[in-house]
Amino acid sequence: MNAIMPTEQRKGILYALGCYGIWGTFPLFWYPLNQSAMPAQQILAQRITWSAIFAIILLLIFKQGKALLKAFGQPKVLATFALSSFLVAMNWLIYLWAIINHHVVEASLGYFINPLFSVLLGFLVFKEKLNRIQIIAIILAGMGILWLVILAGNIPWVGLLLAASFGFYGLVRKLAPMPPLAGLTLETLLMLPFALAYLAWCGSQNILVFSELNALQKTVLFASGAATTIPLLLFAASARRISLSLLGILQNLAPVCQLLLGLLFGEQLVGAKLGGYSLVWLGVLVFLYGAWQQMKQAKLS
């Protein structure tokens, strides 16, 4: 048994690195569409469509259709997943808008904040206790946001909305658990009619952007289904094999990659704005230190 566990843990770490590595390089994945006239709303509709197709194919391959069919007979589950679909669609739309409009650095802020926001939601909704380190981390992040609003004169609405939408999405999914693949398939199927209706309307108004895309841009759209589904499956596989504390530490790979890509794309992070971001990053480091301490204590106990 002891010989198996380290192997499983290594697998879990590799799955997590794969998941967060993909999410971290998403700005690079979507970059070809920056050179097109396609707005974020149409990219979102295309992403939903191809994600639904890819998820259904995987669902049939792995024979998980029963869980999906069962959900259609449970009105409360459908209502819960309708809400989660709305939240994840909002998260995807804001993120795509941020990439197209050169706000990748601000988007990374949202995913730095996200773990802290999730801890705060656990405290407010589930009455989970906060330890001293978590409280300090949340206060530092809050000070960083206030710094950006007051001293930098910049409300980081992209980062805040990304953190809030993904945080509440996780909360809703916690209330109605389903196998990851079946849950994602249900979410995309619930979004699919709206996505198709919007694309049809764009076509009727002659504002649909597709035929003028080059081969690379079309490939990005077709591959968006796999790019959406695969990291979520990697995340689920890693969560079964490693602790939440370790998962939380590895999670920061994604916003670090996004931040570096944003700077590489020429976005600026100077002056008072840098001060606010630095406070948020300090809060994240404090939070990571607390998670690392918990891991050490768990190993000793």
Side-chain angles (χ1 to χ4, degrees):
M1 187 71 177
N2 290 332
I4 296 174
M5 289 304 292
T7 302
E8 287 300 299
Q9 188 177 48
R10 282 196 295 271
K11 285 183 180 178
I13 292 171
L14 289 174
Y15 290 144
L17 290 175
C19 163
Y20 293 127
I22 293 172
W23 282 341
T25 54
F26 255 13
L28 203 56
F29 174 80
W30 295 107
Y31 185 75
L33 293 174
N34 282 19
Q35 317 305 313
S36 73
M38 180 176 279
Q41 306 94 288
Q42 287 191 32
I43 299 175
L44 173 65
Q46 291 277 2
R47 181 182 184 181
I48 290 169
T49 301
W50 295 108
S51 295
I53 293 170
F54 189 76
I56 290 171
I57 292 171
L58 288 182
L59 200 75
L60 294 173
I61 291 173
F62 292 105
K63 299 179 181 180
Q64 295 186 20
K66 288 184 179 179
L68 178 65
L69 293 175
K70 184 179 179 182
F72 281 107
Q74 299 173 302
K76 287 185 178 180
V77 172
L78 281 178
T80 304
F81 271 86
L83 178 57
S84 72
S85 298
F86 169 77
L87 290 168
V88 78
M90 183 170 72
N91 182 271
W92 290 353
L93 178 60
I94 296 166
Y95 189 66
L96 290 169
W97 182 93
I99 292 173
I100 290 174
N101 291 278
H102 310 291
H103 287 275
V104 175
V105 170
E106 192 172 337
S108 75
L109 182 71
Y111 291 109
F112 277 119
I113 296 171
N114 179 250
L116 303 178
F117 184 75
S118 295
V119 169
L120 184 61
L121 276 180
F123 169 73
L124 295 174
V125 177
F126 298 112
K127 309 303 179 185
E128 296 175 357
K129 291 183 179 180
L130 296 177
N131 59 42
R132 187 180 302 175
I133 291 178
Q134 289 173 331
I135 293 172
I136 293 172
I138 291 170
I139 290 173
L140 284 169
M143 288 171 59
I145 292 167
L146 286 175
W147 182 297
L148 289 171
V149 173
I150 298 171
L151 296 181
N154 172 47
I155 300 175
W157 66 269
V158 170
L160 293 175
L161 286 176
L162 284 173
S165 58
F166 201 75
F168 281 114
Y169 169 73
L171 174 66
V172 172
R173 283 299 302 266
K174 188 178 179 70
L175 297 174
M178 270 183 77
L181 179 56
L184 177 63
T185 306
L186 178 57
E187 285 171 345
T188 53
L189 286 177
L190 290 173
M191 292 186 275
L192 185 60
F194 300 98
L196 293 176
Y198 174 70
L199 290 174
W201 178 81
C202 289
S204 68
Q205 300 297 310
N206 294 318
I207 57 173
L208 181 66
V209 179
F210 187 78
S211 59
E212 59 267 45
L213 297 179
N214 60 39
L216 176 60
Q217 291 165 342
K218 288 178 180 177
T219 300
V220 168
L221 288 179
F222 298 151
S224 64
T228 298
T229 307
I230 289 172
L232 286 170
L233 297 179
L234 289 172
F235 174 82
S238 66
R240 289 196 299 267
R241 289 172 171 84
I242 61 177
S243 67
L244 289 177
S245 297
L246 180 54
L247 202 61
I249 291 172
L250 296 173
Q251 179 178 348
N252 286 275
L253 172 65
V256 167
C257 291
Q258 292 167 9
L259 172 66
L260 293 175
L261 284 173
L263 296 174
L264 184 65
F265 292 158
E267 296 182 26
Q268 298 293 316
L269 188 56
V270 294
K273 198 172 181 181
L274 179 59
Y277 276 66
S278 297
L279 278 172
V280 172
W281 295 334
L282 181 58
V284 171
L285 288 174
V286 170
F287 178 79
L288 292 178
Y289 172 76
W292 178 66
Q293 289 287 89
Q294 285 181 338
M295 284 175 57
K296 283 180 63 178
Q297 291 174 2
K299 286 181 179 179
L300 292 173
S301 60

